[in-house]
Amino acid sequence: MKSFLDLAALGPEEVADLLSLAVRLERSPEPEALKGKILALLFFNPSLRTLASFQAGMARLGGSAFVISPGQGTWILETRDGVVMDGTAAEHVREAIPVLASYADALGIRSFAGGADLAADLADSTFLSMAKVCPVPLINLESAVDHPCQALGDWKTMDDLGVPARGGRFVLSWAWHPKPLPLAVPAAVVHMAAQRGMDVTLLRPEGFGLPEPILARARRAAETSGGSLRETADRREALEGAHVIYAKSWASPVHYGNAEAEAAFRASLRDWCVGEDWFATTAPDCRFMHCLPVRRNVVVKDAVLDGPRSVVVHEARNRMWAQMAVLHRLLRKQGEER
Ligand code: CP
């Protein structure tokens, strides 16, 4: 593995290898595995889990990490190509990324969707243009339409909890939120569940379907794994027999880039907040998943988040073990296995 940009780029053996390595590292510490290795972390957007879990993971493996948040004690960085840089940005990523890479053995970048141009965001053009100028192994810390670290950690969480892969019913449900949020987590998670071989239902109100390229990718994964993918606005039908309800909000593709029209479009959808009543017809041990951060009593009610179905902290913890497995595979030389 040369970089970790997209779970879809990995075959079943590579995913299985990362998951089993994550379990091994969780059970048996390897405090010298990445001794002397340095990870650079470039965050264009805020984070709690990704920021902390990568630093903690590198420390647990004997390496270290440094964090750059452009504009916060460092130069503001320009990401667009071909622009006249007479605004606030003092430096371009075309220089900054190779410079950071020259201090480190691997680089992680978080760069959310612009949220204005759906086609550009679906093409993940900002992240991919930065990837082109990165000369060391690169890790996607969440781009416009992908969050492979979240997806891998969530896969491990379902494995840990014995959620069935084949025959497991996974519902990704849209939830109300005051802001139009990016597509990265829903895109990554719907694909991950399909890649895991689950029967995936995308539950969303009319007008909030995921864009076709995202669905097509998940459908291809389901065809390969033996899983399935369907889409519905019918909550009762979707939740019947579910093993997982994974809640997430995302922007409507119908009004993408127009926050005012989007807000009006979603105004009547505040009942898309996961409550205990959503579990009436699910499997008895149906789990509640969310990538965090989550807004209480907006996306999910307190009773669910504080109750036994919620595995959100387990998911967040698994981000660290999953990412440690990724770092281990990227930064240890072949033949350096214990
Ligand atoms: N789920 C996730 O990526 O969390 P952060 O945004 O806090 O990193």
Side-chain angles (χ1 to χ4, degrees):
M1 198 169 69
K2 291 199 167 68
S3 282
F4 186 69
L5 307 183
D6 178 3
L7 210 54
L10 304 184
E13 296 81 15
E14 285 170 297
V15 175
D17 170 64
L18 287 174
L19 290 167
S20 67
L21 179 54
V23 170
R24 187 182 96 196
L25 294 170
E26 184 178 14
R27 292 181 184 159
S28 315
E30 293 189 24
E32 304 236 326
L34 297 186
K35 194 174 174 188
K37 300 289 185 187
I38 296 173
L39 174 67
L41 296 165
L42 178 56
F43 279 89
F44 287 94
N45 312 95
S47 167
L48 186 147
R49 279 143 291 277
T50 309
L51 181 67
S53 58
F54 266 103
Q55 290 179 95
M58 276 304 278
R60 282 175 185 269
L61 292 169
S64 58
F66 66 86
V67 178
I68 299 292
S69 302
Q72 295 174 37
T74 62
W75 307 115
I76 294 176
L77 298 182
E78 179 59 75
T79 58
R80 297 166 299 167
D81 285 331
V83 294
V84 177
M85 286 176 52
D86 56 0
T88 55
E91 182 162 12
H92 202 282
V93 289
R94 294 178 74 86
E95 288 77 51
I97 286 176
V99 167
L100 292 174
S102 74
Y103 307 143
D105 300 287
L107 175 70
I109 300 178
R110 167 165 284 197
S111 172
F112 286 175
D117 178 344
L118 181 58
D121 286 343
L122 286 172
D124 227 351
S125 44
T126 302
F127 184 84
L128 292 177
S129 69
M130 289 193 277
K132 276 192 195 136
V133 296
C134 178
V136 294
L138 179 63
I139 303 170
N140 182 344
L141 309 181
E142 187 174 340
S143 63
V145 283
D146 213 341
H147 196 351
C149 296
Q150 184 68 48
L152 189 64
D154 288 343
W155 189 322
K156 179 178 182 304
T157 300
M158 288 194 281
D159 287 356
D160 288 351
L161 297 170
V163 175
R166 280 294 180 92
R169 301 194 66 178
F170 183 97
V171 177
L172 172 63
S173 178
W174 184 85
W176 190 83
H177 193 282
K179 295 196 289 189
L181 296 186
L183 296 162
V185 170
V189 157
V190 79
H191 179 273
M192 175 275 296
Q195 193 178 13
R196 191 169 179 263
M198 301 181 81
D199 293 322
V200 181
T201 300
L202 176 63
L203 170 62
R204 80 297 176 275
E206 296 304 337
F208 286 86
L210 291 172
E212 182 50 30
I214 292 173
L215 292 178
R217 202 172 81 118
R219 256 186 240 112
R220 283 195 297 277
E223 277 160 22
T224 306
S225 68
S228 64
L229 175 66
R230 69 183 175 131
E231 201 177 356
T232 180
D234 184 333
R235 197 179 296 168
R236 182 192 297 255
E237 180 206 327
L239 297 178
E240 181 111 32
H243 295 95
V244 170
I245 299 176
Y246 197 119
K248 187 74 187 81
S249 195
W250 60 85
S252 165
V254 178
H255 294 291
Y256 203 85
N258 183 344
E260 212 172 298
E262 227 267 356
F265 193 54
R266 69 171 60 207
S268 64
L269 300 171
R270 287 196 76 138
D271 67 322
W272 285 74
C273 173
V274 180
E276 271 299 324
D277 55 321
W278 285 45
F279 296 87
T281 60
T282 61
D285 58 350
C286 180
R287 310 290 183 162
F288 174 77
M289 297 181 74
H290 189 282
C291 61
L292 301 181
V294 71
R295 292 189 185 224
R296 282 175 172 257
N297 303 308
V298 170
V299 168
V300 54
K301 300 266 173 63
D302 281 341
V304 175
L305 210 46
D306 295 332
R309 297 183 183 284
S310 174
V311 297
V312 298
V313 175
H314 191 145
E315 288 178 81
R317 189 169 67 245
N318 271 334
R319 290 288 306 278
M320 184 175 71
W321 304 120
Q323 291 158 192
M324 284 167 66
V326 170
L327 291 165
H328 203 284
R329 285 291 177 253
L330 288 177
L331 293 177
R332 266 177 83 92
K333 291 196 196 84
Q334 295 258 317
E336 274 190 325
E337 273 303 315
R338 285 188 312 171

